[in-house]
């Protein structure tokens, strides 16, 4: 039987995916010819952001090598554009004068980036961000020039801006509206995103209408309505895309915004089909990859004469911003409306916001910020229209979190990794056939989880489900960040083994992919170096989170909150008067007693911080640090009729001993003098409870998002023993936890039994821990507020230093 001639116009993600599906169904059916305007084989366009951000290379993003085309007998013409189709004689004509006949034709021509028709838009240095060449232009430009302006605060603009920052450029992001990513986020998530990105060093020109691009041959300035002018050596336009309908239009195939197709991807012309960003289905054109996988499946069946059942029914959109250190997910209907109700969780301390939009007991949309682990699961619930009436509404996010059954119940054809179109069936067979045992191995073999990472949880569930007991949760290699392939543990081991002593040295010697590191790895390395070399490492303030560098907590309106130290939560009339005087003098809008029994002065202007500290003349309460925060105490034996122990005395002693100690994450403690637990010792990182003639020590408690009751570590008789056990426990945590891992998570990871075996059964080890803690405590510098009050130079540096502005604090 003679093969049918299939011509594919567009050598991009949608077209080639469809060919792969066709080859799976019936590899002998067609003689295939592919035309692509770009001079490359098919590559993963979505990974261009990662190339720009320095996380991967152009070579690594090729999806189908030239060999793949050859092996499948596909005639590929790269760098050649099809200009016209003759529907009567069934031929295509290219810009190189070639004509090729077809029996079936697929148009997968993608989109053109939208370029604002501004005066000066044709100058050198004005580009889009769509292909490998754009990416290379940005990388080259960053070697010679300093200032970039990105127009458009959508997904593409923000990913481009992050990449340019990584390349060392100063970046202004111009956005026409007053909130970012309005097509994906509600105003709350958008405001949180902007704040995080500002901390990373992005400068936003919100509500700005670009008017012109100035310069001789090359761009030099950008001007805006209202007269504002900014300098620019590079302008990247990221203001949306328009479907590429050029060849369809030139060939009288019906188009609207895109090439109009029916549910079987058939255009108005016989034997001509279309899919991907250029296709318009039920008045929708898509700008994301997930719909392409579904369209490719339908079209492959249709063109191979296999029953495509109901055809393509449209897709629910979901996106995730690919910016290192910022987790943002959005799916479906995310805005409030009359018919929808929303469930929201917002944790301002951890910078987490989760919103699930529900209609008629079905989830119809979601926005996640700060923690996107539930993204793919929620998307599946949206797609499957899961009835949630049986799930307590308030607990829905938790329920989603705990749901193990989603992957089990999924069909083999359902997509686990939307970015790379990898189905459950693909992953399960890869695990079985290749003996894969970790998410990294699945990623290397199937591409699942290679891009945005949202699907990692589901891939892990699948591994667990497929391998059963052979899969150990937590054996996953979790790298510090995308700059390195090393885990936290490996980095610490290398620092110790190789005697590394500076952040830059760690990055150089350990082969970091980015010379400056990023907002995830720099604070972590800074912490590890200080932990390993307690007496001689000079803390690198530039690698600290903004709150830690400013020694105050930045608030949503840009002012700061100031919390002075009150050991054990005890104060006196003199300190209260000073606080009251400061409140009057600086018009402090809010004075608030905190959960840790301190007084918080909120709304302090940045420039007033040193004088407020001077007037208070009290030590810093470190309410902003990855350190010992507070030791909360109950009144205890001095006043309470139930108290049998001096909880206040012990609490103050603990706080004085461990104050200013650097820890992987914040540490909160509590001392209660009886099991009534008025100081909430049961939900503290370290909680002490007085019982008849003894103290019980609880560890790993947490009163935050992941509420956890502490585990009883031991019971000791004296306050000296309490102090010693805390020293050993905290040192064990400091040496073994990953940076930004709370004690509760660390304890769950390593297990209480392990901690007990070290602290209670190995006296030698315990003594060594205590001794290392003593050395560390002896080298802790004095109060930071005092330093700024006493030194004009330090004060100046506080406001001027160009420190790393990092994300989560
Ligand atoms: C930087 C960046 C990051 C992105 N990140 C994400 C993401 O994280 N998640 C996500 O879902 N989506 C993302 N996208 C969008 C995603 O890449 C696109 O939706 C997807 O590539 C569309 O595939 P396509 O095949 O329809 O079009 P394309 O990939 O654009 O392929 C079309 C190809 O056809 C060629 N062509 C056009 N006309 C002709 C012709 N007449 N003759 C020959 N060849 C022709 C074009 O040159 C092009 O190579 C991103 C896009 C960019 C630019
Ligand atoms: N992570 C991802 O999923 C990802 C990443 C990059 C790109 N993409 C896709 O690539 C395509 C292109 O992305 P995009 O961000 O350019 O498109 P977009 O349409 O999503 O966003 C464009 C943004 O530019 C703003 N804008 C429009 N005109 C402007 C002007 N004159 N000045 C300033 N701002 C202006 C809009 O308000 C909008 O927020 C989209 O389909 C997007 O979904 C996706
Ligand atoms: S914990 Fe016990 S001793 Fe302390 S205040 Fe409460 S009741 Fe009194
Ligand atoms: S869903 Fe983005 S990498 Fe899998």
């Amino acid at each position: 039987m003679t093969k049918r001639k299939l011509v594919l116009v567009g050598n991009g993600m949608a077209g080639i995916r469809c060919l792969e599906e066709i080859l799976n169904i019936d590899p002998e059916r067609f003689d295939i010819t592919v035309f692509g305007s770009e001079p490359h084989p098919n590559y993963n366009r979505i990974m261009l952001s990662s190339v720009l951000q320095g996380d991967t290379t152009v070579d690594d993003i090729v999806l189908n090598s030239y060999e793949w085309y050859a092996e499948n007998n596909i005639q590929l013409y790269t760098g050649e554009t099809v200009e016209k189709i003759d529907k009567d004689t069934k031929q295509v004509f290219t810009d190189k004068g070639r004509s090729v006949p077809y029996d079936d034709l697929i148009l997968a021509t993608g989109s053109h980036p939208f370029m604002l028709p501004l005066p000066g838009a044709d100058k050198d240095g004005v580009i889009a961000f769509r292909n490998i060449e754009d990416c290379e232009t940005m990388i080259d430009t960053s070697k010679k020039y300093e200032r970039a302006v990105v127009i458009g605060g959508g997904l593409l603009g923000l990913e481009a801006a992050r990449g340019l920052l990584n390349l060392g450029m100063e970046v202004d992001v111009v956005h026409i509206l007053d909130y970012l990513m309005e097509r994906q986020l509600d105003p709350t998530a958008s405001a949180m995103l902007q704040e995080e990105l500002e901390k990373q060093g992005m400068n936003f020109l919100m509500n700005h209408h670009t008017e012109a691009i100035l310069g001789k041959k090359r761009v030099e300035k950008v001007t805006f309505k209202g007269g504002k002018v900014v300098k620019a050596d590079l302008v990247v336009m990221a203001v949306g895309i328009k479907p590429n309908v050029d060849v369809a239009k030139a060939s009288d195939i019906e188009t609207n915004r895109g090439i109009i197709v029916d549910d079987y991807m058939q255009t108005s012309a016989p034997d001509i089909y279309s899919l991907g960003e250029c296709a318009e289905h039920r008045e929708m054109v898509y700008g994301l990859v997930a719909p392409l996988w579904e369209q490719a499946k339908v079209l492959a069946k249709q063109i191979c004469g296999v029953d495509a059942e109901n055809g393509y029914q449209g897709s629910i959109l979901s996106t995730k911003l690919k910016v290192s250190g910022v987790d943002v997910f959005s799916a479906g209907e995310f805005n409030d409306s009359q018919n929808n109700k929303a469930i929201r969780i917002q944790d301002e301390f951890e910078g987490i916001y989760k919103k699930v939009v529900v209609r008629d007991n079905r989830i119809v949309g979601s926005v996640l910020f700060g923690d996107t682990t539930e993204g793919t699961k929620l998307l599946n619930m949206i797609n499957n229209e899961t009835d949630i009436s049986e799930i307590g509404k308030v607990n829905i996010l938790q329920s989603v979190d705990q749901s193990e059954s989603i992957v089990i119940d999924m069909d083999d054809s359902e997509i686990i990794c939307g970015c790379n179109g990898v189905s459950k069936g693909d992953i399960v067979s890869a695990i079985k056939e290749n003996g894969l045992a970790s998410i990294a191995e699945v990623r290397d073999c199937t591409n699942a989880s290679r891009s945005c990472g949202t699907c990692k949880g589901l891939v892990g569930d699948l591994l667990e489900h497929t391998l059963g007991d052979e899969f150990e949760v937590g054996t996953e290699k979790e790298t510090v960040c995308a700059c390195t392939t090393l885990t936290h543990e490996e980095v610490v081991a290398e620092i110790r083994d190789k005697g590394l002593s500076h952040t830059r040295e760690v990055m150089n010697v350990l082969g970091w992919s980015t010379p400056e590191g990023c907002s995830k790895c720099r604070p972590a390395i800074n912490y590890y170096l200080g932990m390993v070399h307690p007496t001689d490492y000079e803390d690198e303030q530039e690698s600290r989170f903004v709150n830690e560098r400013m020694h105050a907590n930045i608030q949503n309106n840009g002012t700061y909150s100031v919390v002075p130290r009150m050991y054990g939560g005890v104060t006196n009339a003199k300190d209260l008067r000073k606080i009251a005087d400061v409140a009057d003098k600086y018009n402090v809008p809010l004075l608030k007693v905190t959960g840790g029994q301190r007084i918080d002065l909120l709304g302090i202007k940045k420039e007033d911080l040193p004088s407020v500290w001077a007037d208070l003349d009290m030590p810093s309460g470190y309410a902003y640090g990855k350190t010992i925060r507070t030791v909360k105490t109950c009144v205890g034996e001095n006043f309470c009729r139930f108290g049998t122990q001096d909880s206040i005395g012990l609490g103050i002693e603990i706080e004085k001993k461990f104050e200013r100690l650097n820890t992987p994450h914040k540490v909160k403690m509590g001392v209660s003098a009886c099991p009534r637990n008025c100081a909430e010792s049961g939900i503290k990182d370290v909680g002490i409870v007085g019982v008849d003639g003894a103290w019980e020590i609880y560890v790993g408690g947490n009163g935050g998002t992941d509420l956890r009751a502490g585990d009883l570590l031991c019971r000791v008789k004296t306050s000296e023993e309490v102090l010693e056990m805390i020293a050993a426990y905290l040192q064990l945590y400091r040496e073994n936890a990953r940076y930004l891992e709370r004690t509760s998570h660390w304890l769950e990871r390593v297990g209480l039994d392990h901690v007990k075996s070290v602290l209670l059964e190995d006296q030698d080890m315990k003594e060594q821990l205590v001794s290392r803690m003593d050395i560390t405590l002896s080298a802790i510098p004095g109060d930071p507020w005092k330093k700024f009050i006493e030194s004009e130079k330090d004060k100046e540096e506080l406001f001027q230093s160009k420190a790393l502005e990092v994300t989560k604090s």
Side-chain angles (χ1 to χ4, degrees):
M1 197 178 99
T2 48
K3 290 183 179 180
R4 282 176 77 80
K5 292 184 197 68
L6 173 63
V7 172
L8 167 65
V9 184
N11 184 27
M13 297 182 75
I16 296 300
R17 184 50 176 258
C18 185
L19 288 191
E20 288 177 338
E21 296 282 351
I22 291 170
L23 292 168
N24 275 342
I25 298 173
D26 191 348
E28 297 305 320
R29 190 178 181 90
F30 293 107
D31 266 334
I32 303 173
T33 305
V34 177
F35 289 98
S37 304
E38 294 183 70
H40 310 283
N42 178 37
Y43 62 89
N44 192 340
R45 194 173 303 283
I46 79 176
M47 295 294 279
L48 286 177
S49 305
S50 309
V51 173
L52 191 69
Q53 290 176 30
D55 295 337
T56 187
T57 63
V58 166
D59 290 345
D60 282 343
I61 67 170
V62 170
L63 289 172
N64 302 78
S65 62
Y66 287 113
E67 290 76 43
W68 177 85
Y69 294 87
E71 280 161 17
N72 289 289
N73 296 318
I74 295 170
Q75 176 65 57
L76 171 67
Y77 296 106
T78 56
E80 189 158 344
T81 299
V82 171
E83 290 183 322
K84 199 160 178 347
I85 302 158
D86 186 329
K87 291 178 293 185
D88 298 326
T89 59
K90 295 186 95 173
Q91 293 183 80
V92 299
F93 299 91
T94 75
D95 60 349
K96 298 246 165 93
R98 200 186 309 272
S99 62
V100 173
Y102 69 84
D103 297 310
D104 296 293
L105 176 68
I106 298 175
L107 295 175
T109 48
S111 294
H112 290 302
F114 184 69
M115 299 300 279
L116 295 170
L118 301 171
D122 54 350
K123 291 197 188 306
D124 287 354
V126 181
I127 59 167
F129 182 20
R130 180 74 198 173
N131 55 35
I132 290 181
E133 282 65 37
D134 297 329
C135 206
E136 287 173 342
T137 305
M138 284 189 257
I139 294 169
D140 290 346
T141 307
S142 73
K143 293 178 186 152
K144 294 184 227 137
Y145 297 97
E146 280 179 0
R147 296 199 57 92
V149 167
V150 174
I151 307 180
L155 287 157
L156 187 66
L158 298 178
E159 290 181 11
R162 179 63 256 179
L164 292 165
L165 279 180
N166 285 8
L167 290 167
M169 297 194 85
E170 286 177 39
V171 185
D172 288 325
V173 177
V174 179
H175 194 53
I176 202 157
L177 302 175
D178 56 6
Y179 80 90
L180 297 171
M181 275 178 59
E182 75 283 354
R183 299 181 61 188
Q184 291 85 16
L185 300 182
D186 69 356
T188 309
S190 177
M192 292 173 85
L193 172 67
Q194 187 178 341
E195 195 184 322
E196 292 289 344
L197 293 175
E198 279 168 351
K199 287 183 199 165
Q200 288 196 2
M202 259 178 231
N203 184 39
F204 288 100
L205 302 172
M206 305 297 285
N207 264 319
H208 275 61
H209 294 243
T210 317
E211 216 166 45
I213 293 171
L214 309 181
K216 290 189 192 102
K217 193 159 173 283
R218 185 180 183 88
V219 50
E220 288 167 22
K221 287 175 190 161
V222 178
T223 65
F224 300 95
K225 249 187 207 159
K228 190 177 172 94
V229 182
V230 296
K231 285 190 182 162
D233 305 311
L234 172 75
V235 172
V236 180
M237 293 209 195
V239 289
I241 48 175
K242 47 180 192 213
N244 177 352
V245 295
D246 299 352
V247 69
K249 250 191 168 159
S251 315
D252 286 332
I253 296 168
E254 209 180 319
T255 59
N256 184 27
R257 269 172 70 214
I259 304 168
I260 295 173
V261 293
D262 65 12
D263 288 357
Y264 298 90
M265 314 317 291
Q266 167 85 54
T267 68
S268 61
D271 300 322
I272 301 184
Y273 305 86
S274 180
L275 83 163
E277 282 189 349
C278 61
E280 178 173 326
H281 172 257
R282 300 189 191 173
E283 295 179 2
M284 284 291 292
V285 284
Y286 296 97
L288 294 165
V289 292
L292 316 183
W293 318 135
E294 298 174 50
Q295 295 176 355
K297 272 200 163 69
V298 170
L299 176 50
K301 283 185 183 162
Q302 177 71 10
I303 212 165
C304 289
V306 174
D307 182 9
E309 293 163 15
N310 296 327
Y312 175 64
Q313 296 293 311
S315 301
I316 289 173
L317 290 183
S318 80
T319 46
K320 183 160 189 287
L321 182 68
K322 303 191 297 301
V323 167
S324 158
V326 184
D327 293 327
V328 187
F329 169 85
S330 155
E333 299 175 35
F334 55 86
N335 272 320
D336 296 333
S337 84
Q338 260 189 348
N339 303 327
N340 299 340
K341 287 212 160 43
I343 301 153
R344 292 181 177 81
I345 292 179
Q346 186 168 9
D347 176 347
E348 293 180 349
F349 295 95
E350 300 293 331
I352 290 172
Y353 173 68
K354 301 180 182 187
K355 174 176 172 184
V356 173
V357 181
V358 178
R359 186 169 58 240
D360 301 332
N361 279 321
R362 306 273 190 282
I363 299 174
V364 293
S366 172
V367 174
L368 306 175
F369 184 88
D371 173 6
T372 54
T373 36
E374 293 121 349
T376 312
K377 288 180 183 177
L378 281 166
L379 180 62
N380 275 290
M381 292 173 91
I382 298 171
N383 279 328
N384 295 335
E385 300 186 355
T386 311
D387 187 337
I388 56 158
S389 47
E390 296 301 311
I391 305 173
K393 299 284 180 294
V394 182
N395 297 326
I396 188 148
L397 282 162
Q398 218 176 350
S399 306
V400 169
D401 222 353
Q402 288 160 359
S403 167
E404 294 275 331
S405 64
I406 281 183
V407 285
I408 298 163
D409 294 342
M410 279 168 87
D411 284 345
D412 273 1
S413 61
E414 274 190 73
I415 296 287
I416 293 275
C417 174
C419 289
N420 298 291
V422 191
S423 68
K424 174 182 167 181
D426 298 336
I427 297 175
V428 172
S429 358
I431 294 171
K432 287 184 181 158
E433 284 163 22
N434 302 298
L436 311 180
S438 70
I439 296 174
E441 284 172 358
V442 172
R443 181 195 61 211
D444 292 345
C445 183
T446 66
N447 275 331
S449 84
R450 188 177 286 285
S451 311
C452 73
T454 329
C455 57
K456 273 187 189 161
L458 290 184
V459 174
D461 287 354
L462 263 185
L463 274 161
E464 203 176 347
H465 177 57
T466 315
L467 298 178
D469 292 346
E470 288 168 47
F471 177 65
E472 280 182 49
V473 186
T475 54
E476 216 32 66
K477 180 161 172 160
E478 199 178 301
T479 61
V480 174
C481 65
C483 305
T484 176
T485 52
L486 299 175
T487 62
H488 289 261
E489 290 77 6
E490 286 167 341
V491 171
V492 175
E494 295 280 4
I495 290 175
R496 289 186 195 281
D497 290 352
K498 299 196 162 76
L500 307 176
S501 55
H502 290 98
T503 324
R504 283 297 175 98
E505 192 188 6
V506 172
M507 293 174 185
N508 282 339
V509 174
L510 303 185
W512 242 241
S513 62
T514 44
E516 298 281 332
C518 73
S519 54
K520 271 190 178 167
C521 58
R522 279 179 57 182
I525 298 173
N526 185 47
Y527 167 75
Y528 294 137
L529 285 168
M531 184 269 290
V532 174
H533 309 294
T535 51
D536 44 20
Y537 177 66
E538 198 169 322
D539 191 81
E540 202 179 74
Q541 283 294 299
E542 309 86 78
S543 293
R544 289 247 172 207
F545 291 116
V546 65
N547 287 346
E548 293 188 294
R549 189 168 49 79
M550 293 308 296
H551 293 276
N553 272 324
I554 193 160
Q555 303 296 306
N556 56 8
N557 59 1
T559 64
Y560 285 80
S561 104
V562 168
V563 182
R565 178 75 71 190
M566 283 178 186
Y567 297 99
V570 176
T571 183
N572 55 47
K574 189 170 151 230
D575 281 349
L576 287 175
R577 264 190 212 101
K578 283 195 286 189
I579 290 172
D581 288 344
V582 165
D584 281 345
K585 182 169 168 187
Y586 296 92
N587 289 323
V588 174
L590 181 68
L591 280 173
K592 180 147 188 347
V593 177
T594 71
Q597 300 177 330
R598 307 297 137 108
I599 294 178
D600 193 348
L601 296 92
L602 290 131
I604 308 280
K605 293 193 200 95
K606 187 176 179 178
E607 60 273 21
D608 287 340
L609 283 172
S611 15
V612 165
W613 298 334
D615 288 351
L616 281 172
D617 191 23
M618 292 166 77
S620 163
Y622 267 93
Y624 44 80
K626 309 282 171 268
T627 177
I628 307 302
R629 289 278 175 94
T630 52
V631 182
K632 187 171 181 172
T633 62
C634 80
V635 287
E637 69 177 5
N638 294 335
F639 287 91
C640 177
R641 60 202 169 91
F642 299 109
T644 55
Q645 315 266 39
D646 180 11
S647 46
I648 294 181
L650 179 59
I652 292 175
E653 221 179 324
I654 295 173
E655 193 163 343
K656 287 200 164 158
K657 180 168 173 128
F658 297 107
E659 67 177 317
R660 304 196 298 278
L661 173 72
N662 283 324
T663 42
H665 210 308
K666 61 190 168 193
V667 170
K668 298 177 177 181
M669 303 201 241
V671 185
S672 306
C674 88
R676 285 171 186 78
N677 233 329
C678 293
E680 295 163 346
S681 306
I683 51 164
K684 298 292 181 211
D685 295 276
V686 178
I688 316 295
V689 178
V691 288
D692 277 341
W695 293 104
E696 285 181 344
I697 302 178
Y698 290 82
V699 290
N702 193 312
T705 339
D706 299 328
L707 192 66
R708 184 179 194 275
D711 294 315
L712 178 61
L713 175 66
C714 61
R715 182 187 271 228
V716 294
K717 288 240 173 333
T718 64
S719 50
E720 288 74 30
E721 287 172 282
V722 172
L723 287 162
E724 191 183 54
M725 190 53 80
I726 296 178
Y729 176 73
L730 287 181
Q731 187 64 12
L732 188 66
Y733 165 60
R734 294 181 73 242
E735 291 179 5
N736 293 289
R738 296 166 189 159
Y739 186 66
L740 292 189
E741 190 172 33
R742 286 295 296 265
T743 60
S744 51
H745 295 141
W746 169 70
L747 190 66
E748 293 214 331
R749 183 163 64 80
V750 299
L752 181 65
D753 287 346
H754 166 72
V755 172
K756 278 185 169 174
S757 71
V758 176
L759 300 184
L760 309 181
E761 289 158 27
D762 188 340
Q763 187 59 22
D764 200 29
M765 180 79 103
K766 184 184 154 203
E767 278 169 16
Q768 287 176 25
L769 286 166
V770 173
S771 146
R772 288 199 290 274
M773 172 61 92
D774 285 345
I775 294 170
T776 305
L777 293 176
S778 70
I780 293 182
D783 181 65
W785 289 358
K786 211 166 178 180
K787 186 176 90 154
F788 294 112
I789 299 163
E790 287 171 356
S791 155
E792 273 310 313
K793 188 170 154 275
D794 283 336
K795 209 184 295 181
E796 255 170 46
E797 273 173 19
L798 177 73
F799 296 120
Q800 284 171 6
S801 78
K802 272 188 110 192
L804 172 79
E805 302 270 5
V806 284
T807 50
K808 269 198 225 162
S809 64

